[in-house]
Amino acid sequence: MAEFKVVVADPETGETFQREVDGQDANRFLGRELGDEIGGDALGLSEYTIELTGGSDETGRPMREDVSGTRLKELLLEGGVGFEPSREGERKRITVRGREIDDDIAQINASVVDGDGDVAAALGEGDAEDDE
């Protein structure tokens, strides 16, 4: 059975929130690809739309939008997701994972793209100190 850690970013405030999803909620992510927009019901954000922006598998290999399917692939990278060069012209062969979500994915990164209100309040993460 699928189980994911989903990291949701709120671009308006710059905050991120982590949620563990499993069971039926995790099955909503299976077969989706990076860039897909889905409802936030699985995360408790029923009034929001989220976009899948990235992720990684259980060994830490990043997902890349330019690799199809769920497969692993070795790429010679000059930069971007999976490799940050330390000097100009540096290239490196890196193993990355495809853009489709399957059981091998451990973390999914998402961003809120549509919805009104405070995302922190919807997730129950509001500060009690601010109310006093």
Side-chain angles (χ1 to χ4, degrees), residues 33-50:
E33 293 185 348
L34 298 183
D36 286 355
E37 292 185 4
I38 62 173
D41 298 335
L43 303 171
L45 298 171
S46 59
E47 299 176 9
Y48 295 88
T49 302
I50 61 171

Side-chain angles (χ1 to χ4, degrees), residues 22-33:
D22 57 359
Q24 188 65 25
D25 290 335
N27 289 340
R28 294 181 187 186
F29 291 99
L30 292 176
R32 303 291 182 141
E33 293 185 348

Side-chain angles (χ1 to χ4, degrees), residues 77-79 83-92:
L77 299 179
E78 295 177 350
F83 175 60
E84 186 68 36
S86 59
R87 62 184 194 275
E88 189 166 334
E90 181 180 14
R91 299 187 310 173
K92 190 173 182 182

Side-chain angles (χ1 to χ4, degrees), residues 60-124:
R61 294 185 195 106
M63 297 175 72
R64 281 188 61 108
E65 199 162 359
D66 57 349
V67 177
S68 63
T70 61
R71 63 191 176 140
L72 292 174
K73 186 170 182 179
E74 282 191 356
L75 299 176
L76 185 61
L77 299 179
E78 295 177 350
V81 175
F83 175 60
E84 186 68 36
S86 59
R87 62 184 194 275
E88 189 166 334
E90 181 180 14
R91 299 187 310 173
K92 190 173 182 182
R93 188 165 306 279
I94 300 291
T95 303
V96 295
R97 187 160 290 276
R99 65 177 168 248
E100 188 176 327
I101 296 173
D102 67 348
D103 290 332
D104 294 330
I105 301 299
Q107 176 179 319
I108 300 171
N109 302 332
S111 178
V112 174
V113 292
D114 188 29
D116 293 331
D118 186 21
V119 176
L123 290 172

